[in-house]
Amino acid sequence: MDPDSGLNVPAYEPADVDLTDSSLYLNRELSALAFQRRVLHEALDERNPLLERVRFLAIVTRNLDEFTMKRIGGLKQQTEADVTETAPDGRTPREQWEEVHETLRPMLATQARCYRDAIRPALAAEGIDILDYDDATAAEQSELRTYFEESVLPTLTPLSFDPAHPFPFISNRSLSLAVLTRQPNADDPTFTRIKIPPNRPRLVQLGDETRYVPLEEVIRANLDLLLPNVEIVDTALFRLTRNAEVRRNQEIAEDLIDMVEDVIEQRRFASVVRMEISEDADSRIRSTLATQLGLDEREIYDLPGPLDYRDFAELTDLDRPDLSLDEWTPQPHPRLDSHRQQPSNASESTGASVFSRIRDGDILLHHPYHDFTDTVQRFLSEAAEDPDVLAVKAAIYRTASDSQIIQSLITAAENGKQVAVMVELKARFDEQNNLEWVRKLEENGIHVAYGTVGLKTHTKTALVVREEDDGVQLYSHIGTGNYHSETAKGYVDLGLLTADRDIGRDLTKVFNFFTGPSLDEEFRELLIAPVTMRREFTRCIRREAQHAQAGRPARIVAKVNGLEDPAIVAELYRASMAGVDIDLIVRDICRLRPGLEGISENVSVYSLVGRFLEHSRIFYFENGARAEPGPEDDWGEPEYYIGSADWMTRNLDYRVEAVTPVANPEIQRQLRFNLELVLADNRKLWEMDSDGEYHQRYPADGERVISAQDILMREALKAGRSEDHAAGMPGDYPPSSDLCIAGDSTRQTAAETPSESEVETEGQYAATSDETPGREPSEVTDGGETDQILSKYGDRWYVPDSVVYDYAVRTPDGERRYLKTKAGVTDLLKRLYSDTE
């Protein structure tokens, strides 16, 4: 899609820079694996409680499984189809496939070493023993044999491979035991596959103690009961991962439901793209599997057991608070809490309805700090029961298996309301779950749209139409996360509840598209992909470049899950070269390389990995907010947006997405608080180098630890006790009007840092804003043209107290400009003062 289509803001075109140069773009797949290394670090990090480290071992397995199924599977398909088209970083599919395996192999080895050398011994030291079978006592082994014979053996089905039996089908991600057996007087052994039953506990508990033996060890030690009268020659644990990139052409599919069901079935039998196998496996087992499954040597991963760590997450349910993070219970939102007295200026009906509270003013929801049930679920459940509600519409991408959201929609239909639901059948790995919801909804007479040809529906939106005294009112929910009650407990997401009529009308158009023939291309407020979103984001980025070129403050802060789209990356490069300060909080994939001389010196890239999965999308464009606009200027107010879309090509061009502007000053303040807090984090935040490597930020000696997620939990608890009913998050860090600036002071020393108790008492999470003398220019200048300029104008720049900026410049009109690089300061000083002296 042409980003210039319909734009009236020209692109800033720097001289002598080729933005198509592949060296400017990081590889998507390797960037995704870099994120998984950061996730793995949570298991390695000894500062984390032990059971939290175990939880992350399981998360890493699930994440890398999905990456292998989706990304490696897709690369293998392209390679086998002889696709040679290069990615923006210049790599062919084959080159990417080879590099991904080279990168993944040491990661899985590190995970295995972490379990073997660190976590398993640490668990044992705490009285939680994961034993080898031979380490159990004789009495315990006798109990395990009885358990095997009575509770496990009947569930097993040994599948042999010999002239009378074909090679068995081995399901995706199932853990298996390969066994070589030899009949009496036979020369060659027989290969047999035994599936470790997933419906039996993986960690078999010994009595009432926290002592466990892995189920595969129990089976291995008692094979004589399962395979009698044969010699057990050798055994090896192994596990397969199959390709998930199985597709059918939607254009020729007669029925989307049939197509999705067919894809699910094909995925079961898709080609194998990785095999993990015990590092000491007999060569005959290894070669049999490799030959029969058609595996390249690079697809075979020799690893120590237990191979699959997903089931070890069961240990996190142990009643060991000393080894776990403090429990977190999502809090009621102050504006929606039915158990507290509302402010006297609220409408008389405030206590009766969630809708009257929304009419009192927009509400920002922040999960998992705010309770999903008490907010989003309540919004839809009240709509289902409210006699004045005429219609309820919702877009479902993923939802819980026991979804109360779905039940509310069914209740609404039973109560005579018009109900329309968009269920995205193509939500990867949730297809089967969504198929079941489609059938249940349709059985209850609800009109269901379940897909769009060529597009996925990824919006997280709901609309309630209500008859009121002053006419029909529209109530909207636009979120960054799915309508999923379980993930809402562990994913950081935002949602806006609003009675804004223009937003409601825009959502009406979107829902009409789901059931109608076409998508409108004109919207009042919402940015909608694939029709307006790319153009509007491009406009916002270019406008910041114009502000910078005009000498006005210019700044972009974006918090997304992924930054992959090459055109958006190029626009950000242009903005940086124009002088825009850019901070990107990118959880996962990032193609952009920060800190490139002359190109992205003004760009910083961060990633936050903590106990909750960062999933919210926030976009901030300063729009000259720190400069004084003239009467004819249409700038001067910052712009904030939240919504479902990342800056990825799939989101901008191939999905239906919705991003909403946020105009309410109080909600803008809360979004600002969120962004500032993440950028100030020195416990869980990572920063990217120009080569794509990440380094975790650590507090200096004596510096207060700032963990954004921990502070947000405390703020949510504080909001529940506060009399300030306007804010979902009352925090006011930092106190300055500039993002991440605490004042005209030098960086605070450790001795000056307030204590944690002082910080909590005052509700501040930054340094004092008292102005102190700036650092002398001689401390940062050592000759050269750049430093001569800094020395010449030493009274017009200083070092601010900031976690983001290294420099600040005082402008002739008394404003301040904050910059990250010495080159940026030099350029600004010359532009501001060289003509006046």
Side-chain angles (χ1 to χ4, degrees):
M1 184 173 292
D2 182 7
D4 291 316
S5 176
L7 273 175
N8 56 8
V9 183
Y12 172 73
E13 294 296 349
D16 303 325
V17 176
D18 178 11
L19 291 177
T20 65
D21 184 347
S22 62
S23 68
L24 299 181
Y25 300 87
L26 295 170
N27 180 260
R28 172 193 171 126
E29 318 306 344
L30 297 178
S31 181
L33 285 178
F35 167 62
Q36 298 305 334
R37 278 198 295 270
R38 300 194 291 279
V39 176
L40 177 58
H41 179 79
E42 292 297 299
L44 301 171
D45 193 343
E46 294 180 356
R47 295 175 296 172
N48 289 331
L50 181 55
L51 292 182
E52 181 73 355
R53 296 172 67 187
V54 172
R55 185 172 77 91
F56 271 97
L57 270 186
I59 289 172
V60 169
T61 295
R62 288 197 299 269
N63 288 359
L64 290 178
D65 283 354
E66 185 170 325
F67 176 85
T68 301
M69 290 186 288
K70 291 167 57 176
R71 306 310 306 175
I72 296 181
L75 290 172
K76 183 173 183 178
Q77 276 188 329
Q78 293 176 59
T79 299
E80 292 176 342
D82 295 324
V83 175
T84 57
E85 182 180 352
T86 59
D89 56 278
R91 292 174 173 85
T92 65
R94 174 170 288 280
E95 289 171 335
Q96 295 180 73
W97 178 80
E98 292 172 350
E99 286 193 59
V100 162
H101 278 298
E102 290 174 7
T103 304
L104 180 57
R105 193 176 308 279
M107 290 176 62
L108 290 173
T110 298
Q111 181 192 29
R113 283 195 305 272
C114 175
Y115 170 75
R116 181 191 63 207
D117 298 340
I119 289 181
R120 184 178 175 184
L123 287 170
E126 295 291 345
I128 305 170
D129 289 302
I130 312 297
L131 304 173
D132 293 333
Y133 190 88
D134 291 341
D135 293 332
T137 66
E140 289 172 335
Q141 289 182 12
S142 177
E143 291 177 9
L144 288 170
R145 188 170 178 85
T146 299
Y147 170 76
F148 172 79
E149 189 169 17
E150 294 180 353
S151 301
V152 178
L153 177 59
T155 72
L156 301 180
T157 304
L159 299 173
S160 294
F161 172 51
D162 55 33
H165 301 92
F167 188 79
F169 171 75
I170 303 170
S171 54
N172 185 35
R173 295 195 292 174
S174 61
L175 193 62
S176 299
L177 193 64
V179 184
L180 288 182
T181 61
R182 182 181 286 113
Q183 296 282 352
N185 303 319
D187 293 329
D188 297 325
T190 297
F191 175 96
T192 299
R193 179 256 180 157
I194 301 167
K195 181 177 180 178
I196 307 302
N199 53 4
R200 297 280 79 194
R202 174 79 181 285
L203 297 177
V204 182
Q205 188 172 3
L206 297 173
D208 296 327
E209 300 182 42
T210 51
R211 289 163 55 81
Y212 307 89
V213 175
L215 180 58
E216 58 266 29
E217 295 297 318
V218 176
I219 295 173
R220 191 200 307 261
N222 293 282
L223 283 173
D224 59 302
L225 297 176
L226 178 68
L227 306 172
N229 304 318
V230 293
E231 175 191 358
I232 306 297
V233 178
D234 211 337
T235 63
L237 201 65
F238 72 97
R239 182 171 178 264
L240 305 183
T241 314
R242 293 183 178 272
N243 183 15
E245 286 296 302
V246 179
R247 301 169 184 257
R248 276 185 56 191
N249 191 337
Q250 294 181 53
E251 300 288 351
I252 61 174
E254 294 183 0
D255 189 282
L256 187 57
I257 289 181
D258 290 341
M259 185 201 80
V260 171
E261 288 177 329
D262 188 42
V263 165
I264 294 170
E265 184 66 16
Q266 288 184 50
R267 194 178 286 161
R268 292 183 57 240
F269 300 97
S271 62
V272 177
V273 294
R274 180 185 64 174
M275 179 174 72
E276 300 160 276
I277 188 168
S278 300
E279 59 185 359
D280 59 353
D282 186 291
S283 60
R284 291 167 292 185
I285 292 176
R286 198 175 187 278
S287 62
T288 297
L289 288 167
T291 300
Q292 294 300 318
L293 297 169
L295 291 170
D296 185 284
E297 186 64 27
R298 285 165 290 194
E299 297 174 303
I300 302 175
Y301 289 68
D302 300 288
L303 297 164
L307 299 186
D308 184 352
Y309 296 91
R310 291 175 296 170
D311 298 316
F312 284 69
E314 296 171 8
L315 295 174
T316 63
D317 294 329
L318 292 173
D319 185 18
R320 291 295 302 270
D322 56 318
L323 304 180
S324 307
L325 291 172
D326 291 340
E327 289 189 11
W328 171 247
T329 301
Q331 297 297 297
H333 193 290
R335 290 276 308 281
L336 296 174
D337 188 353
S338 58
H339 300 293
R340 64 188 292 174
Q341 181 66 39
Q342 294 297 313
S344 58
N345 61 349
S347 62
E348 293 182 3
S349 61
T350 294
S353 168
V354 67
F355 304 109
S356 58
R357 298 188 184 183
I358 297 172
R359 289 199 71 168
D360 287 337
D362 293 352
I363 299 173
L364 183 70
L365 312 176
H366 201 175
H367 311 295
Y369 311 110
H370 293 143
D371 182 50
F372 180 85
T373 301
D374 188 54
T375 55
V376 178
Q377 172 58 47
R378 178 180 170 191
F379 174 66
L380 291 173
S381 62
E382 283 198 19
E385 301 288 353
D386 190 329
D388 294 325
V389 167
L390 306 176
V392 181
K393 303 183 180 185
I396 305 294
Y397 189 72
R398 303 185 198 276
T399 191
S401 57
D402 58 347
S403 175
Q404 292 301 306
I405 294 288
I406 297 291
Q407 186 55 54
S408 291
L409 296 171
I410 292 172
T411 300
E414 291 172 346
N415 289 338
K417 290 127 188 16
Q418 295 293 319
V419 180
V421 183
M422 168 66 208
V423 179
E424 179 49 75
L425 292 184
K426 301 184 293 296
R428 199 192 309 260
F429 306 128
D430 268 330
E431 297 98 336
Q432 186 62 51
N433 189 46
N434 287 359
L435 276 172
E436 293 171 5
W437 287 126
V438 164
R439 294 188 175 107
K440 186 170 183 179
L441 289 166
E442 290 183 333
E443 286 171 1
N444 285 272
I446 295 174
H447 183 82
V448 181
Y450 44 79
T452 306
V453 172
L455 298 172
K456 273 189 180 180
T457 299
H458 194 247
T459 65
K460 289 83 168 66
T461 52
L463 180 68
V464 173
V465 183
R466 191 170 187 265
E467 181 76 61
E468 298 183 358
D469 292 341
D470 54 353
V472 172
Q473 181 66 48
L474 305 177
Y475 294 92
S476 305
H477 174 260
I478 299 108
T480 68
N482 299 306
Y483 291 108
H484 197 301
S485 58
E486 289 306 308
T487 58
K489 297 174 184 176
Y491 286 23
V492 175
D493 272 306
L494 294 164
L496 182 71
L497 289 171
T498 181
D500 184 289
R501 181 162 289 276
D502 285 339
I503 290 176
R505 288 171 175 171
D506 284 350
L507 268 190
T508 299
K509 288 184 178 183
V510 173
F511 279 106
N512 286 343
F513 163 65
F514 294 147
T515 56
S518 63
L519 179 58
D520 202 319
E521 296 188 1
E522 297 294 331
F523 293 90
R524 293 175 172 87
E525 295 288 340
L526 298 182
L527 311 187
I528 298 297
V531 289
T532 66
M533 188 177 293
R534 177 183 289 278
R535 181 187 71 222
E536 291 305 305
F537 275 138
T538 301
R539 179 186 63 80
C540 289
I541 297 170
R542 291 183 181 180
R543 185 186 58 196
E544 293 302 312
Q546 287 188 335
H547 285 310
Q549 286 300 101
R552 295 187 288 270
R555 181 155 168 72
I556 296 170
V557 184
K559 182 178 185 294
V560 293
N561 298 330
L563 171 55
E564 172 272 341
D565 183 72
I568 293 292
V569 172
E571 292 291 344
L572 293 170
Y573 280 146
R574 292 188 183 98
S576 172
M577 288 183 278
V580 181
D581 283 323
I582 303 172
D583 281 297
L584 304 170
I585 305 165
V586 186
R587 186 197 75 206
D588 197 334
I589 298 165
C590 182
R591 283 198 188 274
L592 182 145
R593 296 177 59 190
L596 296 174
E597 185 176 357
I599 298 174
S600 57
E601 289 173 313
N602 295 318
V603 183
S604 297
V605 176
Y606 305 95
S607 176
L608 184 68
V609 180
R611 69 185 290 175
F612 304 132
L613 179 75
E614 291 290 332
H615 194 251
S616 58
R617 290 95 165 180
I618 310 172
F619 307 91
Y620 168 82
F621 301 96
E622 189 164 86
N623 193 26
R626 284 179 283 156
E628 190 66 36
E632 303 300 322
D633 293 320
D634 60 354
W635 49 267
E637 295 294 330
E639 293 186 359
Y640 289 81
Y641 298 85
I642 66 170
S644 61
D646 292 309
W647 276 348
M648 301 182 72
T649 303
R650 70 184 187 189
N651 298 99
L652 299 172
D653 296 340
Y654 303 110
R655 289 184 172 185
V656 181
E657 304 273 11
V659 166
T660 182
V662 176
N664 182 294
E666 168 55 35
I667 294 182
Q668 287 186 349
R669 187 197 64 76
Q670 293 178 58
L671 294 175
R672 176 197 185 93
F673 171 66
N674 190 359
L675 293 174
E676 290 166 341
L677 195 55
V678 171
L679 291 171
D681 192 295
N682 59 13
R683 175 61 182 87
K684 296 290 187 179
L685 195 69
W686 297 73
E687 185 167 5
M688 188 205 289
D689 291 340
S690 59
D691 59 2
E693 292 295 319
Y694 286 81
H695 304 279
Q696 191 171 42
R697 183 187 285 171
Y698 284 81
D701 290 342
E703 184 181 3
R704 181 178 181 272
V705 175
I706 298 175
S707 173
Q709 292 187 353
D710 288 347
I711 290 171
L712 286 169
M713 284 188 284
R714 290 204 296 270
E715 289 298 314
L717 288 169
K718 184 193 299 183
R721 301 190 297 265
S722 171
E723 294 304 315
D724 178 5
H725 299 272
M729 293 288 175
D732 47 4
Y733 162 82
S736 169
S737 61
D738 299 302
L739 281 168
C740 297
I741 301 299
D744 288 6
S745 58
T746 57
R747 289 186 182 278
Q748 196 172 27
T749 65
E752 297 169 323
T753 305
S755 69
E756 184 166 342
S757 60
E758 291 170 336
V759 169
E760 290 182 353
T761 299
E762 297 299 323
Q764 305 293 327
Y765 301 97
T768 176
S769 59
D770 294 337
E771 187 165 330
T772 60
R775 190 163 62 191
E776 291 297 321
S778 61
E779 295 183 42
V780 291
T781 60
D782 55 6
E785 180 182 356
T786 295
D787 294 331
Q788 289 174 6
I789 293 171
L790 292 177
S791 295
K792 179 178 179 180
Y793 301 113
D795 60 338
R796 293 184 172 127
W797 69 272
Y798 63 94
V799 177
D801 182 2
S802 169
V803 296
V804 171
Y805 299 111
D806 286 325
Y807 304 94
V809 172
R810 295 186 176 92
T811 66
D813 58 6
E815 296 289 332
R816 302 182 186 92
R817 291 288 307 278
Y818 297 96
L819 302 104
K820 297 175 182 175
T821 65
K822 190 182 293 187
V825 175
T826 304
D827 179 67
L828 182 60
L829 288 170
K830 287 193 296 185
R831 284 196 282 123
L832 291 176
Y833 295 109
S834 61
D835 293 337
T836 62
E837 298 184 4

